[in-house]
Amino acid sequence: MTIERVGVVGAGQMGNGIAHVFSLAGYEVVMTDVSAEALDKAVALIERNLDRQVAKGAATEDEKASAMGRISTTPTLTDLGSCDLIIEAATEREAVKTAIFEELVPHLAPHTILTSNTSSISITRLASRTDRPEKFMGFHFMNPVPVMQLVELIRGIATDEETFRACFEVVERLGKTAATSEDFPAFIVNRILMPMINEAVYTLYEGVGSVSSIDTSLKLGANHPMGPLELADFIGLDTCLAIMNVLHDGLADTKYRPCPLLTKYVEAGWLGRKTKRGFYDYRGETPVPTR
Ligand code: NAD
């Protein structure tokens, strides 16, 4: 199966990164969002990020110009009907994703592969709400997409081999590395990463260490490039809590219970970098621990 034209639904932090790497790899990209502002911002951000790659020598001016020329945007979801591959990267709410697939499916060619970039929602359940569960997969990029090497590929119970192979080849053409995960809550990366972050929050909650001692311990003692609390702020504490809830509900094991202190930060609206406060306060020159 030849994939040339790729539709990206949702132009937020993940959607713009996905459009960026696909266009740079030579794919035609059509991006849509319910927010016209998000589409404009995404195109401007892709251009800035490509400029940065040119400055570092990772791409040429010509490659940047051709990549920008291959990206188009539309406010109309059904304009993505002519794409060979769809990557849904809209807000992490099942009802939003299901509504997108329901509207899009009648406009797709029979060969079109449908995928979701969801961090946690069941691929099998999302697939069952479409007309093509055998051509449906999880295509999970990491944030920031142009920088992170891994893509998790998740088969739903019905995904066929041809669909999996086609997505695997796409990952290779992007110059990234695929890891395959079965469709269980939070897949592989977040199944392992989130309980570690949650345990770091428990370590803080129980007074075993302060924010800086916990982050310094994991950076210097386990050679992690970022401490777990710093990383939680980068991901977004609301996202961390949502994933812990998916693990807790989906696996029905108390070892995944979200730390009450994580819940408290989210209830305060202290969601990390995006709201300028989380385990660190980012409102000044340098981040200051909040505990
Ligand atoms: P985001 O909030 O930055 O962007 C979501 C975008 O979806 C917004 O621009 C919003 O306007 C748009 N949207 C909402 N409803 C829509 C609809 N009906 N049609 C079209 N567009 C719609 O979120 P994000 O961080 O980019 O996350 C997107 C997806 O990627 C989620 O499923 C999330 O779980 C997943 N993901 C996120 C990360 C991360 O670190 N943030 C990492 C991997 C995967």
Side-chain angles (χ1 to χ4, degrees):
M1 172 185 301
T2 320
I3 293 174
E4 290 306 333
R5 202 170 154 79
V6 178
V8 180
V9 185
Q13 54 176 348
M14 295 306 291
N16 89 71
I18 292 168
H20 174 139
V21 297
F22 274 87
S23 63
L24 201 53
Y27 293 95
E28 292 290 327
V29 177
V30 193
M31 192 168 35
T32 187
D33 199 291
V34 281
S35 152
E37 194 195 342
L39 281 174
D40 292 345
K41 272 196 189 159
V43 172
L45 187 60
I46 293 170
E47 179 144 35
R48 273 208 308 281
N49 288 337
L50 282 167
D51 279 337
R52 211 174 296 160
Q53 282 181 301
V54 171
K56 283 196 303 196
T60 64
E61 274 293 348
D62 277 357
E63 285 166 343
K64 178 202 148 185
S66 335
M68 289 307 295
R70 282 190 287 268
I71 300 177
S72 60
T73 62
T74 172
T76 311
L77 176 65
T78 52
D79 286 349
L80 272 57
S82 59
C83 293
D84 307 307
L85 168 68
I86 305 283
I87 302 178
E88 173 280 312
T91 310
E92 186 74 342
R93 288 222 312 275
E94 190 161 344
V96 169
K97 294 182 186 296
T98 303
I100 289 169
F101 294 133
E102 270 169 13
E103 187 181 342
L104 191 55
V105 155
H107 301 269
L108 298 179
H111 74 274
T112 303
I113 294 177
L114 264 184
T115 68
S116 174
N117 185 49
T118 178
S119 311
S120 59
I121 300 171
S122 162
I123 298 301
T124 300
R125 200 163 63 233
L126 288 174
S128 74
R129 309 287 294 274
T130 73
D131 64 344
R132 60 193 71 203
E134 69 290 346
K135 290 198 177 304
F136 193 103
M137 280 198 50
F139 209 138
H140 185 215
F141 288 87
M142 309 293 129
N143 183 23
V145 182
V147 176
M148 299 296 280
Q149 185 62 25
L150 185 77
V151 181
E152 273 184 311
L153 291 179
I154 304 114
R155 289 182 175 96
I157 201 166
T159 309
D160 66 22
E161 192 53 28
E162 190 191 8
T163 301
F164 177 80
R165 273 275 121 214
C167 289
F168 190 89
E169 281 163 19
V170 168
V171 175
E172 287 191 325
R173 181 162 156 198
L174 295 177
K176 296 198 180 283
T177 305
T180 310
S181 170
E182 289 298 317
D183 182 25
F184 287 104
F187 318 128
I188 294 175
V189 172
N190 286 321
R191 168 83 177 255
I192 298 170
L193 180 65
M194 280 306 153
M196 186 201 69
I197 286 176
N198 193 48
E199 198 60 29
V201 186
Y202 266 111
T203 310
L204 179 67
Y205 173 66
E206 291 169 6
V208 180
S210 64
V211 168
S212 46
S213 58
I214 292 166
D215 277 351
T216 303
S217 296
L218 270 287
K219 278 194 283 192
L220 304 185
N223 229 7
H224 289 191
M226 285 171 105
L229 300 172
E230 198 184 352
L231 179 58
D233 276 358
F234 181 75
I235 294 167
L237 303 190
D238 51 341
T239 303
C240 294
L241 180 61
I243 296 171
M244 283 313 296
N245 280 324
V246 166
L247 283 167
H248 194 219
D249 296 345
L251 298 169
D253 188 328
T254 55
K255 76 177 178 181
Y256 298 113
R257 68 210 183 285
C259 179
L261 184 61
L262 179 61
T263 307
K264 188 190 266 195
Y265 270 77
V266 173
E267 283 172 352
W270 292 16
L271 306 182
R273 281 187 178 267
K274 61 185 167 189
T275 58
K276 302 219 175 297
R277 237 184 315 187
F279 293 112
Y280 293 84
D281 187 334
Y282 300 93
R283 291 171 300 172
E285 283 278 293
T286 48
V288 179
T290 52
R291 282 180 105 78

